[in-house]
């Protein structure tokens, strides 16, 4: 059974991501950092549907780290404890990347609560794990993180802003998707220029 179309066409490398050239183009600070393989703790700030989750997934896949995804609308303290329970296991030999999506849905008190968990019988915090490098945190938000993210956590992360996609960005994405579909199905997919422009503008 084939994967859903969206999954089949999801970018596999940073070069395939639509837009965000101010971050992802070769030579940019973000791109150079990721290409060196030293992944800092980060907060991705920008509107929905611009590639924040996709970029985090690509980073995790290329780093060999074990990726865990949580969503701020449903995450609980027990979810955090479960993720961090992987520390030191074979599954997480290269470290853990925790992707916390929609962190803006957690108030500051909830975020502070999520910093605490029990590991090997010792009281520790997510903050301590972030500082020690056993956990790399990438959080994303559609709201200004300087107002919505707990200060102690924010101070240990680098904020990167993701921008809305332009029609040109979307057109490039559609062309790339058509090419990949043609290659995977063995049938070229041709999109007339006027249809491509209409899709991108829509």
């Amino acid at each position: 059974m084939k994967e859903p179309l969206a999954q089949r066409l999801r970018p596999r490398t940073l070069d395939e991501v639509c837009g965000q050239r101010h971050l992802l183009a070769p030579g940019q600070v973000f791109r150079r950092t990721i290409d060196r393989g030293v992944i800092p703790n980060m907060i991705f700030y920008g509107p929905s549907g611009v590639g924040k989750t996709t970029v985090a997934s690509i980073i995790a896949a290329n780093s060999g780290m074990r990726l865990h995804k949580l969503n701020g609308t449903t995450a609980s303290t027990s979810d955090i404890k479960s993720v961090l329970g992987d520390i030191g296991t074979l599954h997480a030999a290269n470290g853990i990347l925790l992707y916390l999506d929609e962190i803006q849905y957690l108030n500051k008190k909830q975020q502070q609560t999520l910093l605490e968990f029990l590991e090997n019988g010792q009281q520790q915090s997510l903050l301590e794990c972030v500082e020690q490098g056993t956990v790399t945190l990438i959080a994303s938000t559609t709201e200004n993180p300087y107002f919505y993210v707990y200060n102690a956590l924010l101070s240990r992360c680098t904020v990167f802003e993701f921008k809305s996609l332009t029609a040109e960005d979307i057109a490039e994405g559609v062309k790339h998707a058509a090419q990949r579909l043609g290659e995977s199905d063995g049938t070229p997919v041709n999109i007339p220029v006027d249809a491509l422009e209409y899709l991108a503008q829509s």
Side-chain angles (χ1 to χ4, degrees):
M1 187 172 74
K2 287 188 176 181
E3 293 179 303
L5 182 62
Q7 186 60 34
R8 291 174 62 193
L9 299 180
R10 185 178 294 277
R12 299 161 296 187
T13 67
L14 295 179
D15 290 325
E16 293 180 356
V17 176
C18 295
Q20 315 310 331
R21 292 298 92 191
H22 65 294
L23 298 176
L24 304 179
Q28 296 294 336
V29 173
F30 179 90
R31 181 62 180 269
R32 293 203 313 267
T33 300
I34 301 305
D35 286 346
R36 284 200 305 267
V38 181
I39 313 303
N41 302 300
M42 298 178 282
I43 295 175
F44 293 167
Y45 163 43
S48 300
V50 295
K52 300 188 295 294
T53 304
T54 294
V55 169
S57 298
I58 292 171
I59 290 172
N62 291 336
S63 69
M65 301 172 76
R66 183 167 176 80
L67 175 65
H68 287 277
K69 295 180 182 180
L70 295 177
N71 191 289
T73 61
T74 57
S76 66
T77 304
S78 61
D79 293 324
I80 295 288
K81 290 180 180 179
S82 177
V83 169
L84 300 180
D86 263 354
I87 292 174
T89 67
L90 290 177
H91 294 297
N94 294 320
I96 293 172
L97 193 154
L98 172 57
Y99 181 69
L100 181 55
D101 195 13
E102 299 187 294
I103 194 174
Q104 75 271 15
Y105 286 106
L106 304 178
N107 61 41
K108 290 186 178 181
K109 184 176 180 180
Q110 289 173 314
Q111 290 182 47
Q112 190 171 14
T113 300
L114 288 173
L115 294 177
E116 300 176 354
F117 75 105
L118 288 173
E119 202 264 323
N120 291 330
Q122 296 178 345
Q123 186 71 33
Q124 288 187 298
S125 68
L126 175 58
L127 191 56
E128 289 172 325
C129 289
V130 166
E131 289 178 328
Q132 295 164 7
T134 51
V135 173
T136 298
L137 177 68
I138 298 181
S140 70
T141 175
T142 57
E143 304 292 341
N144 190 327
Y146 295 99
F147 292 105
Y148 286 85
V149 177
Y150 180 51
N151 285 339
L153 196 55
L154 182 64
S155 68
R156 290 160 176 82
C157 297
T158 303
V159 177
F160 292 100
E161 183 177 2
F162 282 59
K163 299 181 179 179
S164 298
L165 300 179
T166 65
E168 290 76 15
D169 294 332
I170 295 171
E172 285 299 315
V174 172
K175 286 193 291 186
H176 184 72
Q179 179 182 353
R180 282 181 59 183
L181 279 176
E183 292 172 352
S184 64
D185 296 340
T187 304
V189 178
N190 298 310
I191 304 177
V193 174
D194 56 344
L196 180 63
E197 292 178 351
Y198 178 79
L199 285 171
Q201 292 290 346
S202 297

